[in-house]
Amino acid sequence: QKEVEQNSGPLSVPEGAIASLNCTYSDRGSQSFFWYRQYSGKSPELIMFIYSNGDKEDGRFTAQLNKASQYVSLLIRDSQPSDSATYLCAVAYTGGFKTIFGAGTRLFVKA
Amino acid sequence: EPEVTQTPSHQVTQMGQEVILRCVPISNHLYFYWYRQILGQKVEFLVSFYNNEISEKSEIFDDQFSVERPDGSNFTLKIRSTKLEDSAMYFCASSPRVANTEAFFGQGTRLTVV
């Protein structure tokens, strides 16, 4: 059974701080890793994807992947109240066509 | 910016009835998916579709469910004989290139079975 695990939170950070969101996955055959943001009652919105070990930066967001530790993280710099949402980690597997989602971490950015 | 569109946004149906959820994926995308999310739970994969056939399906996607791409733009999910536990948000998504690349989601259809 392929699993994607996230701390459900809530993670609370002050405005302007760095928010760090973490995710672990169970299957070493994992190929692609995604972070989605989901506001309450809305659909998942793709923020970042990463395929290779290391860091990938896009604006205020940095995704980090460590395949040896089966660990992927998302850093949000200069957090804003509008970043308050649930962040979903998702993993796709080699040879497959589906993406497995974690349960999400709720982030709350205090103004 | 191109987007995945889903209709209707909310569907209420009686238990035992059939429903069809509709999606228009992004036009140059090749892979299409249906996911569902029961209130307060994870996003769950249902089925993927490529080259006019199912490429993978989950254990949730049993004989009650079917998918179809009736023309060059629409992608539908049919649920026969709906059950109370089918109540959920259903999301259509599409990917541009090979499988396991980034998927873009539609706004979802909230299905309520009463």
Side-chain angles (χ1 to χ4, degrees):
Chain A
Q1 182 80 353
K2 298 178 174 65
E3 298 283 346
V4 177
E5 299 290 340
Q6 296 181 256
N7 187 323
S8 63
L11 174 65
S12 183
V13 300
E15 184 175 359
I18 296 175
S20 178
L21 305 163
N22 305 313
C23 171
T24 59
Y25 58 94
S26 62
D27 194 315
R28 290 192 176 274
S30 304
Q31 178 180 10
S32 312
F33 307 86
F34 310 93
W35 283 100
Y36 286 85
R37 177 174 62 198
Q38 187 175 32
Y39 294 110
S40 181
K42 303 295 185 182
S43 62
E45 174 191 6
L46 182 67
I47 300 174
M48 296 279 295
F49 57 89
I50 186 167
Y51 304 138
S52 304
N53 274 328
D55 294 1
K56 179 181 179 182
E57 186 174 316
D58 184 0
R60 296 188 295 113
F61 300 97
T62 298
Q64 300 174 315
L65 175 61
N66 184 327
K67 289 189 176 182
S69 300
Q70 296 176 238
Y71 177 92
V72 58
S73 65
L74 179 70
L75 301 178
I76 306 174
R77 288 181 298 282
D78 188 24
S79 296
Q80 301 297 309
S82 58
D83 294 326
S84 299
T86 297
Y87 288 80
L88 309 178
C89 174
V91 178
Y93 294 86
T94 305
F97 294 86
K98 65 183 177 184
T99 300
I100 306 295
F101 282 79
T105 298
R106 287 180 294 143
L107 173 66
F108 178 60
V109 181
K110 298 175 291 184
Chain B
E1 186 172 324
E3 59 180 18
V4 177
T5 57
Q6 291 185 243
T7 54
S9 57
H10 190 189
Q11 174 90 46
V12 181
T13 189
Q14 290 208 324
M15 192 168 52
Q17 296 297 303
E18 175 183 287
V19 295
I20 297 176
L21 310 183
R22 304 180 190 278
C23 169
V24 178
I26 296 173
S27 63
N28 62 346
H29 284 194
L30 301 178
Y31 291 84
F32 314 116
Y33 314 88
W34 284 101
Y35 288 83
R36 80 173 185 189
Q37 187 175 32
I38 296 171
L39 186 64
Q41 298 188 22
K42 292 183 182 183
V43 174
E44 300 176 290
F45 170 80
L46 293 178
V47 65
S48 61
F49 193 85
Y50 169 70
N51 200 26
N52 284 320
E53 62 182 18
I54 291 174
S55 48
E56 188 168 0
K57 61 183 181 180
S58 73
E59 59 276 8
I60 302 170
F61 194 88
D62 59 20
D63 292 343
Q64 179 194 10
F65 295 90
S66 62
V67 290
E68 194 176 41
R69 188 159 162 82
D71 52 43
S73 60
N74 291 286
F75 180 50
T76 62
L77 174 69
K78 181 188 291 186
I79 310 174
R80 288 182 280 274
S81 189
T82 49
K83 298 176 283 201
L84 294 176
E85 54 265 38
D86 294 327
S87 295
M89 281 289 284
Y90 287 81
F91 296 112
C92 174
S94 65
S95 295
R97 297 174 283 119
V98 298
N100 292 341
T101 58
E102 60 276 21
F104 296 88
F105 282 69
Q107 81 279 16
T109 294
R110 179 171 297 285
L111 177 66
T112 302
V113 183
V114 297

